[in-house]
Amino acid sequence: MSGPLTGMTERLAPDSAGIARAAELLASGQLVAFPTETVYGLGADATSGEAVARIYTAKGRPRFNPLIAHVASLAAARSEGVFNDTALMLGERFWPGPLTLVVPAAPGSRVSDLARAGLDTVALRVPGHPIALDLLRRAGCPIAAPSANRSGRVSPTTATHVLADLGGRIDAVLDGGPTQVGLESTIVTCLTDSPRLLRPGGLPREAIEEAIGRALAGGSAYDGAPRAPGMLASHYSPRARVRLNAERIAPGEAALLFGRRTPADLSGAGLVLNLSDRGDLAEAAAHLFSHLRALDDSGAATIAVAPIPEQGLGEAINDRLRRAAAEPEREGAITP
Ligand code: TXA
Ligand code: MG
């Protein structure tokens, strides 16, 4: 068996042969990155502790965080986790889609202890992407998959991003083109009848609140809510310094803009990219990580980011930008 740290990474076409090859690699304990509608995931057979362990090696993750187990259907999710009425309603309403539900692990759950980091809960998601669903059906097991980036880098939204971070460290990447949503899934815990938002993401808070008929507790990095384990404030860190809510751009700074309002002085700026010229938050989310990578790669010391509205997907976009702007902190120092 070729080790993931020495071999070549196969780039697989998203056709029947490519997906079959990916499923076969997963079944033999190998690592395969695959597209979801949110970001690319780094997949391993969630039932095999050995396969899951290789995810941490490949990512260079400093410690074991619990991972999301991806499954093909709500029915498959229900054999891994215990769904109360709220969880069931959310799963029926939003799956397949950019929502992860944290529920108590089912007594017969096959998700390995390592994938759950020893917790008695499990994070489950049915991704809304035809290639991911096809792969899950063929693999026949839950697939543990964190975002397919090196630890500390922003999440990949193309196969090229995956290869830039993990080429030679994983066995294959299924190339499904750019992902549609561009932000990781929204994570909601359903351990009691009051669901809590652990991470804002690709499903806007407002959609969930409309479904449950009331406000959703938690979510802001700064409201004292419990965070998803492993969500360090500085989790998403470009090399460049990131300056938020920039009204003007200093000479030499790279700039990340939003909407039609252009800062007065762009003449001395480095690379300038706009998340969405027409001020559309879904388009902005889809561009966020690729633009951050491109601006970081431009070599600028600072990336100045224009203000972005906080409603809808803006909550998750601003959450990721605040993390990108945070100074690196000690592992375990989870922001209250
Ligand atoms: O969109 C996504 O969610 C992507 C795609 C690949 O599905 N995946 C992703 O995985 O973002 P990752 O590992 O980067 O983030 C998973 C988050 C972590 O913050 C982790 O702490 C949280 O899920 N998590 C997993 N299991 C949990 C549990 N039992 N309780 C609380 N949080 C959990
Ligand atoms: Mg991640």
Side-chain angles (χ1 to χ4, degrees), residues 19 35 127-135 137:
I19 299 170
H129 193 294
I131 297 170
L133 288 172
D134 192 350
L135 180 64
R137 281 187 210 106

Side-chain angles (χ1 to χ4, degrees), residues 34-42 59 61 65-70 98-103 115-117 119-125 127 145-149 155 183-187 189 191 198-199 202 227-232 235-236 320:
F34 62 98
T36 79
E37 80 282 32
T38 59
V39 300
Y40 276 72
L42 176 55
K59 284 188 63 115
R61 255 200 195 177
N65 296 322
L67 303 176
I68 297 169
H70 298 72
L99 173 68
T100 293
L101 295 174
V102 174
V103 298
R116 291 192 275 118
L119 299 173
D120 53 13
T121 55
V122 63
L124 293 163
R125 179 161 110 79
S147 50
N149 51 280
S155 295
L183 289 172
E184 302 86 345
S185 60
T186 301
I187 305 181
T189 43
L191 302 178
L198 284 189
R199 176 177 79 179
R227 311 296 300 157
M231 283 198 73
L232 298 179
H235 189 76
Y236 303 87
R320 304 305 188 273

Side-chain angles (χ1 to χ4, degrees), residues 25-211:
L25 287 167
L26 287 169
S28 63
Q30 315 270 36
L31 299 181
V32 178
F34 62 98
T36 79
E37 80 282 32
T38 59
V39 300
Y40 276 72
L42 176 55
D45 177 353
T47 68
S48 160
E50 211 177 304
V52 170
R54 301 175 76 193
I55 289 178
Y56 296 97
T57 313
K59 284 188 63 115
R61 255 200 195 177
R63 68 165 187 193
F64 297 152
N65 296 322
L67 303 176
I68 297 169
H70 298 72
V71 289
S73 64
L74 176 56
R78 292 185 75 181
S79 49
E80 306 303 335
V82 179
F83 281 63
N84 63 20
D85 289 346
T86 311
L88 202 53
M89 185 270 288
L90 291 174
E92 276 166 356
R93 176 104 177 229
F94 294 113
W95 280 348
L99 173 68
T100 293
L101 295 174
V102 174
V103 298
S109 174
R110 294 184 296 156
V111 176
S112 61
D113 279 343
L114 187 57
R116 291 192 275 118
L119 299 173
D120 53 13
T121 55
V122 63
L124 293 163
R125 179 161 110 79
V126 181
H129 193 294
I131 297 170
L133 288 172
D134 192 350
L135 180 64
L136 285 164
R137 281 187 210 106
R138 292 191 203 221
C141 61
I143 296 180
S147 50
N149 51 280
R150 284 293 278 268
S151 184
R153 301 267 288 162
V154 298
S155 295
T157 56
T158 67
T160 299
H161 294 163
V162 174
L163 290 168
D165 277 13
L166 298 174
R169 302 177 69 86
I170 63 175
D171 300 286
V173 55
L174 256 175
D175 187 350
T179 63
Q180 265 191 5
V181 176
L183 289 172
E184 302 86 345
S185 60
T186 301
I187 305 181
V188 172
T189 43
C190 292
L191 302 178
T192 66
D193 286 335
S194 309
R196 288 191 71 88
L197 182 61
L198 284 189
R199 176 177 79 179
L203 181 65
R205 165 198 292 275
E206 291 88 336
I208 299 167
E209 293 183 334
E210 203 253 310

